[in-house]
Amino acid sequence: MTATPSDTLPAEEQELHTEPEPEVAEAGHEDLSEVPEDVPAADDSSSRFLPKDTNDAGFSLDEFAALLSKYDYNFKPGDIVNGTVFALEPKGAMIDIGAKTAAFMPLPEVSINRVEGLADVLEPGEIREFFILSEENEDGQLTLSIRRIEYQRAWERVRQLQKEDATIYSEVFATNRGGALVRVEGLRGFIPGSHISTRKPKEELVADFLPLKFLEVDEDRNRLVLSHRRALVERKMNRLEVGEVVIGTVRGIKPYGAFIDIGGVSGLLHISEISHEHIETPHSVLNVNDQMKVMIIDLDAERGRISLSTKALEPEPGDMLTDPQKVFDRAEEMAARYKQMLMEQAEDGGDMVDYD
């Protein structure tokens, strides 16, 4: 008998020698008659490892589970995660955040500002932060948002600006019956009509940039209220001082007093500050569009109010009723006396009193 190659091998190597494997049957002609029926399922965890084989692995099963847990991301709503943009679609963007399934960000969630399309904000391959909006759906997909991150940070910034009592500039994008609408850090802010100080009709303010101060910043109620009047008053106050005489124009008369325009801001001439004599109504002394001299008696920057007086300018009690021109002609003289009185009272530490 002719010796086979395996016969010529040493005995210890013959034990390792195996016969060639039989040829695999052609596709579609596999013989499945010998396959046992109790084959483990493909996702059966018992088939993934054999416990008896881990004794010599160098670490325990608990250590191995702990290692795996480092890569077991538990995403939950409210988390902020890093993600990579890999596809822009008509209704949103597909984002890789390392989850089992690509996450989805709907178009309305791409920005706090209105955008025409995703390409205005995102680029494929861009890496940035995303806010997780919802739990996984039935397909294992998470919903993400950039708008929510911008929203949170916008409120933080606005609260800081309010704390600093900052004056901001913002463009009016719409008006309504109650006032005007602006955007601050992407948030929509409202200016009540009573806090708009301009001679323009309200409807003509659209596209104008206005200086503004914060009146109310309330994230819980989603309220951001601003004042144009306060910003103007503060700016004007920086150039005004108590005891100064200014020229103003009567813009409105109410039962309690008159509103006087002094260089673009409004001051109140209370009925009690018109004259030393008793007055039934401001209409008996003043008319709308009257030009007159008034003296500043108080500057309240926090409330955005300027208080005015003609009473302090009267040479004789009642002159505003009988001879207002005399009051205006001697206004600077009387104001100087008023300032001197304030200085003397400050030195004495006393309260200011009326004088004749």
Side-chain angles (χ1 to χ4, degrees):
M1 179 180 296
T2 304
T4 64
S6 62
D7 294 336
T8 64
L9 294 173
E12 62 274 14
E13 294 187 18
Q14 288 186 27
E15 294 179 1
L16 300 177
H17 184 74
T18 58
E19 294 296 329
E21 295 183 0
E23 294 183 1
V24 178
E26 294 182 3
H29 298 280
E30 297 87 345
D31 184 3
L32 302 179
S33 62
E34 299 298 322
V35 177
E37 294 183 0
D38 59 343
V39 175
D43 62 349
D44 186 353
S45 60
S46 66
S47 68
R48 296 175 189 166
F49 64 90
L50 297 175
K52 65 180 181 180
D53 294 333
T54 63
N55 293 331
D56 300 324
F59 50 85
S60 67
L61 289 178
D62 290 340
E63 291 171 334
F64 183 66
L67 181 64
L68 290 178
S69 69
K70 292 174 59 179
Y71 302 95
D72 183 15
Y73 298 101
N74 295 314
F75 298 107
K76 60 183 182 297
D79 286 348
I80 295 178
V81 297
N82 287 324
T84 303
V85 180
F86 70 85
L88 302 182
E89 300 180 351
K91 295 185 177 181
M94 304 301 295
I95 313 295
D96 178 12
I97 61 170
K100 293 177 294 185
T101 303
F104 180 70
M105 183 175 63
L107 178 59
E109 294 296 329
V110 72
S111 176
I112 196 173
N113 298 304
R114 185 170 298 177
V115 297
E116 295 297 327
L118 290 170
D120 294 341
V121 181
L122 299 175
E123 295 181 0
E126 178 182 355
I127 300 174
R128 63 179 301 161
E129 291 182 327
F130 297 90
F131 182 95
I132 298 179
L133 276 179
S134 66
E135 302 274 3
E136 293 181 353
N137 61 17
E138 61 274 10
D139 297 324
Q141 188 176 67
L142 293 162
T143 302
L144 306 181
S145 173
I146 294 174
R147 183 187 69 84
R148 187 62 63 90
I149 295 177
E150 294 178 341
Y151 182 81
Q152 291 177 345
R153 292 175 179 171
W155 278 109
E156 290 174 4
R157 176 62 176 154
V158 165
R159 282 193 293 269
Q160 182 62 32
L161 289 171
Q162 182 194 36
K163 183 179 179 181
E164 297 171 358
D165 195 28
T167 298
I168 62 169
Y169 285 80
S170 188
E171 181 181 11
V172 176
F173 69 86
T175 61
N176 57 30
R177 185 172 62 180
L181 299 173
V182 296
R183 288 190 176 90
V184 182
E185 299 290 325
L187 301 172
R188 188 170 69 171
F190 177 66
I191 312 171
S194 61
H195 280 268
I196 298 175
S197 293
T198 177
R199 297 179 183 177
K200 272 188 176 183
K202 186 171 53 181
E203 296 73 19
E204 295 182 11
L205 290 175
V206 175
D208 282 2
F209 280 84
L210 302 179
L212 302 168
K213 302 286 286 188
F214 293 96
L215 290 180
E216 183 179 357
V217 176
D218 191 337
E219 182 179 0
D220 293 337
R221 299 174 63 194
N222 199 27
R223 285 170 59 92
L224 180 58
V225 185
L226 304 111
S227 173
H228 177 229
R229 177 170 60 83
R230 272 197 61 192
L232 290 182
V233 169
E234 182 180 88
R235 180 192 297 176
K236 187 69 175 178
M237 283 182 178
N238 291 334
R239 300 190 295 268
L240 297 175
E241 61 181 30
V242 172
E244 180 180 358
V245 174
V246 293
I247 297 175
T249 303
V250 179
R251 294 300 182 193
I253 300 177
K254 302 290 183 180
Y256 52 83
F259 290 98
I260 314 295
D261 184 315
I262 51 172
V265 295
S266 182
L268 175 63
L269 176 61
H270 194 270
I271 187 172
S272 63
E273 288 294 334
I274 293 176
S275 175
H276 283 84
E277 295 293 332
H278 176 71
I279 297 174
E280 291 293 337
T281 171
H283 286 280
S284 63
V285 183
L286 306 172
N287 297 295
V288 173
N289 293 326
D290 279 355
Q291 195 169 61
M292 57 191 296
K293 287 184 178 181
V294 291
M295 188 179 74
I296 298 169
I297 58 172
D298 187 54
L299 296 169
D300 188 343
E302 184 175 346
R303 301 173 67 185
R305 292 182 178 179
I306 300 175
S307 298
L308 307 172
S309 177
T310 50
K311 171 183 175 179
L313 300 179
E314 288 184 317
E316 300 293 336
D319 279 345
M320 274 298 296
L321 306 181
T322 60
D323 192 357
Q325 189 58 49
K326 175 183 176 183
V327 176
F328 303 149
D329 289 342
R330 296 182 59 185
E332 284 73 18
E333 174 193 340
M334 299 304 297
R337 289 176 56 186
Y338 182 86
K339 288 182 180 181
Q340 181 63 35
M341 181 188 64
L342 290 180
M343 292 176 60
E344 293 174 356
Q345 290 176 346
E347 292 174 357
D348 296 339
D351 295 327
M352 186 175 69
V353 294
D354 287 339
Y355 65 97
D356 293 336

